[in-house]
Amino acid sequence: MRVAGRSPGTVPPRRPNIEPGRVSAMSEVAISMTPPPVPKELERPPLVLNQRSLGWISDHIAGIAEGKAPVWWWLAFIPSFLMFLVLVAMLAYQISTGVGVWGNHHPTMWGWDIINFVWWIGIGHAGTLISAILFLLRQRWRTAVNRAAEAMTIFAVMCAGIYPAVHVGRVWFDWFLFPIPNSNGIWPQFRSPLMWDVFAVSTYFTVSVLFWYMGLIPDLAVMRDRARTKLRQILYGFFALGWTGANRHWTNYEKAYLILAGLSTPLVLSVHSIVSLDFAVSQLPGWHTTIFPPYFVAGAIFSGFGMVLTLLIPLRKLCHLEDIITMRHIDVMCKVTLATGSIVGYAYGMEFFIAWYSGSPFERFAFMNRALGPYWWGYWLMLFCNVAVPQLFWFRSVRQNLWLVFILSILVNIGMWFERFVIIVISLHREFLPANWGYYMPTWVDVATFLGTFGLFFTMFLLFMRFLPMIAISEVKGVTPQADPHHPLGGAKPHGGGHG
């Protein structure tokens, strides 16, 4: 008799003779080998919510730069651009008149110019940390925030660079800061920390731009392929450098990105360390301390993450990015802010201990003058914003409240500005001779110039998000379940059956 589905003359396969008891035992072994489910408390929410498809990610992120500018963008851009014009006017007035239009006077020969320079440099540190160090540590949550943080770094360094260039007075001699051979035989004083600043900040800016641009290349190709006008297609195509997504392109890209991450990582530590040496190498009480480099680096990362939160929380809502910049991202950045804020608070305490332990009456007076002198309000406001405020991030309910996080992030930036005010102005306004004591007050030019740098910063950031993807499309796709070969959505077969 012929059996359906079997060729004539074939012998049916022999079924193994397994006892019913052994079958049940083998089933129990298989069940016992199945890993237990992860407890709900330990489950991490996905980095992209609602199982969004790869196409949705491209459409949503690229659509921000492709569509018509929304009303809120114009409401933010116009005031920012007007403030930028104020900056241009103030710089023209200062250069044509002289640095006397600032509030600097003896003994406070450094004022808002250096305060704002150090503050803006610190703002940019979170971008390099997120992009470079967290990339090397394989922190996957960075992918949704690294592009905006890198752009923030570049624009913050641009704002910072204005002050040292202008505060020299004769800006047309700025080129003397660089080791360029000249007929006058003038050479930079390499023993000066101000000279170190020139090379540290210029290197930091150059590497940050290269790192930012390198990460943009795959997304520029996406924008090129989606472009609806010839001009956009040409411009995006030119800067995409012929990217096609070929295997060789991805291999070279990942190597270059890794090299730039390795080059950027020391800059996170070195740049603000060198900025701190502007003060630490002097003999002035309140400045002459070896704790400044790590103290400044922690403070820079602290203020940088504060600014990242300040920018991304409103943009998350306005651009409808809740599925990409999730509450998990906000939570992690709050924890980093808490950690660095605690380090800064420890540094404040150690400063007083060092002043007491030194036995120097001048050092002790400098720190007592901070807390009890004419600028006592600045010192205690600094302590409140930089020490007390971040401690609220211990509570998960605070980290999950976006309004609270937004307000606290602004207070962090205010506190870090006052930290630089305390270090610079309070240390200078009372020197060794009481007859030379003075009270520093900024002029309207100081205030208008500082507000103008905000105009430059926000103008550049708004233009960036208007014409370029503000989130790394290719990197966000890489952390989705579809990109994970061990996930069912990525092709893995259930019950450990291998990959599809």
Side-chain angles (χ1 to χ4, degrees), residues 189-347:
Q189 175 56 275
F190 284 104
R191 289 178 294 179
S192 169
L194 300 179
M195 197 66 248
W196 308 340
D197 265 354
V198 173
F199 292 95
V201 174
S202 59
T203 304
Y204 184 51
F205 179 76
T206 303
V207 174
S208 296
V209 170
L210 288 174
F211 200 26
W212 176 68
Y213 176 62
M214 180 61 63
L216 265 172
I217 291 175
D219 292 353
L220 289 172
V222 173
M223 300 297 291
R224 174 201 63 200
D225 297 339
R226 296 170 56 95
R228 298 177 183 176
T229 64
K230 194 67 177 177
L231 179 62
R232 278 179 171 254
Q233 191 175 23
I234 292 173
L235 290 176
Y236 287 133
F238 176 78
F239 289 105
L241 304 178
W243 178 275
T244 61
N247 182 61
R248 186 179 64 175
H249 289 182
W250 278 111
T251 302
N252 294 335
Y253 167 81
E254 290 174 357
K255 289 179 182 178
Y257 200 85
L258 182 62
I259 291 171
L260 286 172
L263 291 174
S264 301
T265 298
L267 291 176
V268 178
L269 306 176
S270 66
V271 173
H272 227 55
S273 296
I274 291 174
V275 170
S276 74
L277 294 181
D278 292 349
F279 312 101
V281 299
S282 71
Q283 301 298 316
L284 193 71
W287 288 5
H288 186 61
T289 174
T290 56
I291 200 176
F292 264 24
Y295 163 28
F296 268 54
V297 170
I301 296 172
F302 177 57
S303 61
F305 269 91
M307 183 60 83
V308 171
L309 288 167
T310 304
L311 289 174
L312 290 185
I313 288 176
L315 291 177
R316 177 179 181 267
K317 181 68 175 178
L318 292 170
C319 298
H320 308 291
L321 295 169
E322 290 88 347
D323 288 346
I324 298 174
I325 304 175
T326 67
M327 290 307 299
R328 178 179 171 186
H329 294 91
I330 305 295
D331 186 81
V332 173
M333 287 190 285
C334 288
K335 290 176 181 177
V336 175
T337 306
L338 169 63
T340 50
S342 301
I343 295 172
V344 169
Y346 171 77

Side-chain angles (χ1 to χ4, degrees), residues 29 61 78 93 110 113 137 186 220 255 268 284 321 326 345 349 378 395 446 462 495:
V29 171
I61 297 175
I78 293 174
Y93 175 62
W110 273 0
D113 51 344
L137 295 177
I186 298 175
L220 289 172
K255 289 179 182 178
V268 178
L284 193 71
L321 295 169
T326 67
F395 305 101
D446 284 309
L462 288 166
H495 309 301

Side-chain angles (χ1 to χ4, degrees), residues 286-424:
W287 288 5
H288 186 61
T289 174
T290 56
I291 200 176
F292 264 24
Y295 163 28
F296 268 54
V297 170
I301 296 172
F302 177 57
S303 61
F305 269 91
M307 183 60 83
V308 171
L309 288 167
T310 304
L311 289 174
L312 290 185
I313 288 176
L315 291 177
R316 177 179 181 267
K317 181 68 175 178
L318 292 170
C319 298
H320 308 291
L321 295 169
E322 290 88 347
D323 288 346
I324 298 174
I325 304 175
T326 67
M327 290 307 299
R328 178 179 171 186
H329 294 91
I330 305 295
D331 186 81
V332 173
M333 287 190 285
C334 288
K335 290 176 181 177
V336 175
T337 306
L338 169 63
T340 50
S342 301
I343 295 172
V344 169
Y346 171 77
Y348 293 159
M350 285 305 299
E351 278 190 311
F352 266 84
F353 172 77
I354 292 170
W356 168 79
Y357 194 70
S358 69
S360 169
F362 304 105
E363 199 77 28
R364 292 179 179 179
F365 173 79
F367 282 90
M368 292 304 295
N369 184 48
R370 289 184 181 183
L372 304 175
Y375 293 105
W376 61 269
W377 47 270
Y379 179 78
W380 292 106
L381 182 60
M382 174 196 76
L383 283 185
F384 171 75
C385 293
N386 293 349
V387 179
V389 165
Q391 302 308 312
L392 295 174
F393 288 137
W394 283 105
F395 305 101
R396 189 174 184 274
S397 58
V398 174
R399 301 196 302 269
Q400 297 295 311
N401 188 319
L402 290 178
W403 278 105
L404 266 179
V405 173
F406 180 67
I407 293 170
L408 295 181
S409 68
I410 294 175
L411 291 176
V412 164
N413 287 304
I414 293 173
M416 287 307 297
W417 189 91
F418 272 98
E419 179 197 287
R420 280 60 183 246
F421 178 86
V422 167
I423 290 173
I424 294 168

